[in-house]
Amino acid sequence: MTRIVILSFVQSALAVGGIGMLHSVLDGKPQSVIDTLQTLVCFRGIAGSGLLLLGFVVMSYMLTLTKASVFIPLNTATTFILTVAIGLISQSERLSAPLIVGMMLVLSGIALIATQRG
């Protein structure tokens, strides 16, 4: 089960990183299809799309190792943790009591899921 937890963090990191890169490229840009495609053909757009594709590959591999009923909540939790962590690091998120309690609950959930047999 440790392998599934590690793979879930890897998949979440790839997805959150890819979305973050695409957000930085597309934020505030015109929304026409041609403008969006032109924006995505820069290094960050290609890199963000590549990270998302790698995240999909890892997710597909994980689904061969465990049940969806274990994968989905675990992956949702790890994605939440990494999103908040990146928000704290980039200073777009502030540390607060509800955030700390929420993170403790998420980590408790991961621990409970990790004790199940997948």
Side-chain angles (χ1 to χ4, degrees):
M1 188 50 114
T2 302
R3 179 170 56 163
I4 297 299
V5 173
I6 291 169
L7 284 171
S8 185
F9 272 103
V10 169
Q11 192 279 330
S12 295
L14 290 168
V16 170
I19 291 293
M21 288 184 117
L22 288 175
H23 175 73
S24 71
V25 169
L26 295 172
D27 189 34
K29 302 289 191 260
Q31 294 300 311
S32 75
V33 174
I34 292 173
D35 290 332
T36 300
L37 290 175
Q38 287 175 340
T39 303
L40 291 175
V41 184
C42 69
F43 174 76
R44 290 184 109 174
I46 293 170
S49 298
L51 288 175
L52 285 174
L53 180 62
L54 286 173
F56 177 75
V57 169
V58 173
M59 177 181 63
S60 299
Y61 175 67
M62 286 176 61
L63 287 171
T64 66
L65 300 175
T66 190
K67 299 181 285 190
S69 62
V70 172
F71 166 77
I72 292 170
L74 179 62
N75 191 259
T76 301
T78 56
T79 301
F80 176 72
I81 287 171
L82 290 174
T83 302
V84 170
I86 289 173
L88 291 171
I89 291 168
S90 69
Q91 298 178 352
S92 64
E93 187 77 40
R94 292 182 180 223
L95 202 57
S96 65
L99 182 63
I100 292 169
V101 171
M103 295 303 289
M104 288 176 18
L105 289 171
V106 168
L107 290 171
S108 299
I110 290 173
L112 285 173
I113 290 171
T115 61
Q116 291 183 6
R117 297 200 181 254

